[in-house]
């Protein structure tokens, strides 16, 4: 089992930047993918961006393309999300997630049910 702890959320004005971190512990050797999802009030949890833990391959949703970057430090078992040019519609609780079950496709990487480890979430609020 993998334990995940996010940090770095906060309040920022539109156009600003934030960097989220996610520290992984436990069976980190079993991680295939790690990703970020977000959930706004009254909405379902949605995919944001993901990274293949070993290869570094990344994929993101269109709404954050060119603004958000995912990276990882394998030695520190830490995942990062750099968010630039933030918009009010980016306001949500951001969750770090890990897939330890096995290789998944691009379509599966956007599916919340394919991730078996979740952090507690960190609030990101973007004011207009």
């Amino acid at each position: 089992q993998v334990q995940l702890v996010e940090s770095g959320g906060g309040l920022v004005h539109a156009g600003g930047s934030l960097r989220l971190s996610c520290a992984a512990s436990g069976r980190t050797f079993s991680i295939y993918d790690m990703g970020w999802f977000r959930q706004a009030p009254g909405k379902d949890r949605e995919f944001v961006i993901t990274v293949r833990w070993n290869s570094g391959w990344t994929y993101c949703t269109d709404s954050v393309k060119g603004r958000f970057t995912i990276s990882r430090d394998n030695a520190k078992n830490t995942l990062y999300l750099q968010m630039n040019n933030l918009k009010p519609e980016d306001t949500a609780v951001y969750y770090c997630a890990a897939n330890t079950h096995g290789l998944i496709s691009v379509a599966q990487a956007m599916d919340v049910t394919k991730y078996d480890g979740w952090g507690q979430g960190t609030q990101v609020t973007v004011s207009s």
Side-chain angles (χ1 to χ4, degrees):
Q1 197 170 3
V2 173
Q3 292 79 45
L4 305 174
V5 178
E6 302 102 334
S7 60
L11 172 65
V12 64
H13 291 299
S17 298
L18 279 175
R19 188 194 195 206
L20 306 184
S21 299
C22 174
S25 60
R27 296 173 59 89
T28 56
F29 59 87
S30 62
I31 294 175
Y32 284 84
D33 306 88
M34 288 194 74
W36 292 95
F37 289 75
R38 65 188 180 187
Q39 188 166 18
K43 294 188 176 182
D44 293 335
R45 192 169 299 187
E46 66 173 4
F47 168 78
V48 178
I49 195 167
T50 189
V51 62
R52 193 82 78 191
W53 197 242
N54 288 332
S55 70
W57 170 85
T58 65
Y59 183 78
C60 70
T61 190
D62 287 344
S63 64
V64 307
K65 201 165 290 183
R67 301 189 299 122
F68 290 14
T69 303
I70 191 171
S71 62
R72 86 272 193 238
D73 185 329
N74 294 59
K76 295 182 179 180
N77 291 319
T78 301
L79 182 73
Y80 303 100
L81 179 62
Q82 179 66 45
M83 304 184 292
N84 298 327
N85 190 22
L86 282 159
K87 304 176 181 181
E89 51 264 42
D90 295 318
T91 295
V93 177
Y94 282 70
Y95 296 90
C96 171
N99 159 41
T100 66
H101 285 162
L103 291 174
I104 56 178
S105 67
V106 171
Q108 290 173 323
M110 298 185 287
D111 184 350
V112 296
T113 66
K114 299 304 180 184
Y115 294 81
D116 53 301
W118 290 88
Q120 81 286 355
T122 185
Q123 177 71 46
V124 171
T125 303
V126 185
S127 63
S128 57

